[in-house]
Amino acid sequence: MNISQLETLLTISKTMSFRKAGELLNLTQPAVSAQIKSLEDEFKTVLIDRNQPVTLTDHGQVFLQHAEKMLAIVEELKQKLSDLNLTPQGHIVLGTTASIAIQILPRVLSYFQNQFPLIKTTIHSMPSSQVMTSVENGFVDIGISYLAEKNPNIAQSVLYYDTFELVVSPSHPMSKLTHTTMDTLKDIPMIMLAPDTLGRRFVDRLFRKYNVQPNILMELSSSEEVKRMVEINLGAAVVSKLSIANELRLGTLKMIKVNELETTHPVGVVYKSGRYLNTAMQQFLSDLKGMPEHSFISSE
């Protein structure tokens, strides 16, 4: 049984003619007869009394009632699918770092939720190095993270650029400095990101490049945790510049320029190449990619 057969039976019940039904459905009369015969064979009953005028048998009348319900369900499904295209809705699972989730996503999601209230989001916070893997494995739909090496299984688009900066507590002996060099970092206790984060890998490469052996006091999984330790003056740290905007404004952290750190790092949106994108994901990606860089890096 298929939808076309049900539509043919419904049309015959209205026109009381195989010929007229065929004209309305753009089918030949033999094709109409074949569809009805196929239904009758499948259900082992006679649905049409073929005397003139054509009428439905008792079994045909019962069959028609259910056919009308099935066709109504199909029409409702078509309408809902059409509505999805017109009004984006659905569920998005986002994966990002704790700092981006706190500093960037509130502004982005506030706008997005106001525009598209039928789209729901779930956010998973994780180390930057895990975002790509989570996207590739399907654990999250969309990731926002620092972009590292290219992955053929991942589509990515740059949203903005960030830098890493040295920060200390206002009580730290170096807090009065505005500039310093990588070489001075070997003499002070450092609060570091965990080795599996992209930020830590960047800093480690610099330490090796300038032959600096850091005095690592503590390793933590996120910039948010690192900042709290620095605020209570347990050590200095190198963290994302965008992640410290609030602390700099409140005066709980002091930033010291280190020329060797002045390298921009792209932050972008990533999703699995070739996967089906529901309307919620399509709309989110479209809006995210269309936002100007200052929408992300503003400290407001």
Side-chain angles (χ1 to χ4, degrees), residues 148-149 182 197-211 265:
E149 65 280 353
M182 284 292 294
T197 61
L198 295 179
R200 172 63 181 277
R201 292 175 189 174
F202 164 69
V203 175
D204 283 347
R205 285 196 299 271
L206 279 181
F207 282 147
R208 288 193 297 269
K209 178 179 179 181
Y210 293 98
N211 198 29
H265 301 269

Side-chain angles (χ1 to χ4, degrees), residues 73-87 89:
I73 291 172
V74 170
E75 190 59 35
E76 181 182 4
L77 174 60
K78 289 180 180 178
Q79 185 61 52
K80 286 187 175 180
L81 292 176
S82 176
D83 289 345
L84 280 175
N85 292 328
L86 297 174
T87 307
Q89 53 191 286

Side-chain angles (χ1 to χ4, degrees), residues 103-104 160-163 240-246 296-297:
Q103 301 292 332
I104 305 300
Y160 60 93
Y161 290 87
D162 195 5
T163 61
S240 155
K241 183 177 182 180
L242 291 181
S243 74
I244 58 174
N246 190 52
F296 301 102
I297 64 178

